[in-house]
Amino acid sequence: MNDNHTMANKAAWEEAFDRRVNAFGEDHAARLLTEDRAFLHPVVWDALEGMKLQGESIGQFCCNNGRELMSVVKHASAREGIGFDLAGNILAQARGIAAAAALPCSFIEGDACQAPEIYHDRFALVLITIGALCWMKELPPFFDKVAACLQSGGHLLIHEAHPITNTFAVPQEEEYDAAEPARMVHSYFRRDPFVDSYGMGYLAGETYESKPFISFSHTLGSIVTAVARSGLRIERLQEYNEDISGETQPLDGKGVPLSYLLLARKV
Ligand SMILES: C[S@@+](CC[C@H](N)C(=O)[O-])C[C@H]1O[C@@H](n2cnc3c(N)ncnc32)[C@H](O)[C@@H]1O
């Protein structure tokens, strides 16, 4: 992990987890034990239908506390789940949840782009969900690693915020106008990073003066191209006008593309 932005993001995510409120994660083991499909969005569950995952190995890049990965592993009766994430303290919680819910999942700390070679050709599914791609400065090394880790015939499933949402201001930015939340204030083609120090509200329950989070905007074209060039065959790209980040809630259902699902396969 040599990139400065990756080191900075590790520190910012670990700080955010240390400030967590509302007992974040503490009910996840109980929910995994008692609920089927405890986590993940319905469009993801729909997309997983028909994939043969029983007895297979499943990976998640940028897995956070692993709740989504463990939910799929349980639902599909997979052989194992392997989650990759930067944040050591969040992964410690993930390991505790896996033990308490008796799920065969393990968690690897580090930059997902550097996932060790022992995970190559391993996964029948690599899962990537909301809030993952924005931390990658460049997409090709990330998707090249995803492709390397998939077994032949394996699926990549991405469910993410639509890149157009990066052109809107968030409430913490001075350009934000609650009366016009879809006003374009950043170029769709922006390459400069966003450097934000207002914390990670969904964990901390508030804004706070945080260590810097460094994120990047990627156009839909650059995402599709990086997936295709990694050698995966794109099978589906579907856009939705549904807010999945919470940051574009005022636009939910109003005809603006707010999220997407991309499915690709290693042939
Ligand atoms: C918003 S979560 C995404 C996962 C899931 N959708 C969720 O909400 O829990 C973002 C995660 O990405 C991780 N992350 C950021 N950059 C990463 C990198 N280069 N490699 C692995 N994990 C990374 C962070 O530590 C954080 O746990």
Side-chain angles (χ1 to χ4, degrees):
M1 189 198 312
N2 299 315
D3 294 328
N4 291 339
H5 74 275
T6 306
M7 297 296 289
N9 286 334
K10 172 180 168 64
W13 273 102
E14 289 179 344
E15 177 188 56
F17 187 72
D18 283 340
R19 294 183 66 118
R20 69 194 179 281
V21 291
N22 303 326
F24 176 82
E26 284 175 25
D27 67 345
H28 290 175
R31 288 188 59 190
L32 285 160
L33 281 167
T34 55
E35 295 174 32
D36 187 31
R37 305 181 177 212
F39 302 100
L40 286 167
H41 192 281
V43 306
V44 176
W45 288 117
D46 285 352
L48 292 171
E49 284 293 320
M51 287 186 198
K52 294 186 172 56
L53 299 173
Q54 187 175 359
E56 294 287 359
S57 177
I58 299 174
Q60 183 173 11
F61 281 23
C62 306
C63 65
N64 197 263
N65 75 349
R67 63 196 179 283
E68 298 168 326
L69 173 68
M70 289 187 260
S71 200
V72 181
V73 165
K74 180 189 170 189
H75 176 76
S77 300
R79 176 169 52 86
E80 65 171 5
I82 311 278
F84 302 89
D85 201 282
L86 285 179
N89 55 358
I90 304 181
L91 293 185
Q93 184 183 68
R95 292 184 191 108
I97 295 170
L103 288 167
C105 294
S106 27
F107 296 92
I108 312 302
E109 182 179 332
D111 181 1
C113 300
Q114 312 282 338
E117 287 189 12
I118 52 163
Y119 299 107
H120 286 188
D121 299 310
R122 181 129 165 186
F123 302 124
L125 167 69
V126 169
L127 188 63
I128 292 166
T129 61
I130 173 80
L133 298 186
C134 61
W135 310 112
M136 307 303 148
K137 184 176 180 189
E138 307 290 345
L139 292 178
F142 181 77
F143 286 118
D144 288 350
K145 180 55 80 172
V146 169
C149 289
L150 282 170
Q151 55 179 252
S152 180
H155 301 268
L156 164 65
L157 188 160
I158 305 174
H159 186 230
E160 264 282 13
H162 197 288
I164 196 76
T165 61
N166 293 324
T167 69
F168 312 147
V170 294
Q172 292 81 9
E173 287 177 290
E174 61 184 38
E175 299 95 329
Y176 182 72
D177 179 356
E180 206 187 340
R183 188 160 62 90
M184 181 179 273
V185 303
H186 303 291
S187 166
Y188 181 68
F189 301 98
R190 176 180 170 130
R191 291 303 296 139
D192 291 341
F194 292 96
V195 182
D196 296 313
S197 299
Y198 51 79
M200 192 52 68
Y202 87 97
L203 282 177
E206 59 176 359
T207 57
Y208 57 96
E209 185 60 32
S210 69
K211 295 178 181 175
F213 286 91
I214 301 170
S215 62
F216 302 88
S217 191
H218 300 289
T219 65
L220 201 54
S222 65
I223 295 165
V224 167
T225 301
V227 172
R229 286 195 176 152
S230 75
L232 302 183
R233 186 181 69 208
I234 293 167
E235 297 193 326
R236 179 170 154 197
L237 173 60
Q238 193 155 355
E239 296 160 285
Y240 305 91
N241 67 5
E242 185 182 0
D243 166 64
I244 59 169
S245 68
E247 293 193 335
T248 51
Q249 218 289 321
L251 297 168
D252 189 70
K254 296 194 173 149
V256 181
L258 299 180
S259 52
Y260 70 94
L261 181 107
L262 185 149
L263 279 176
R265 198 149 188 199
K266 185 164 174 176
V267 285

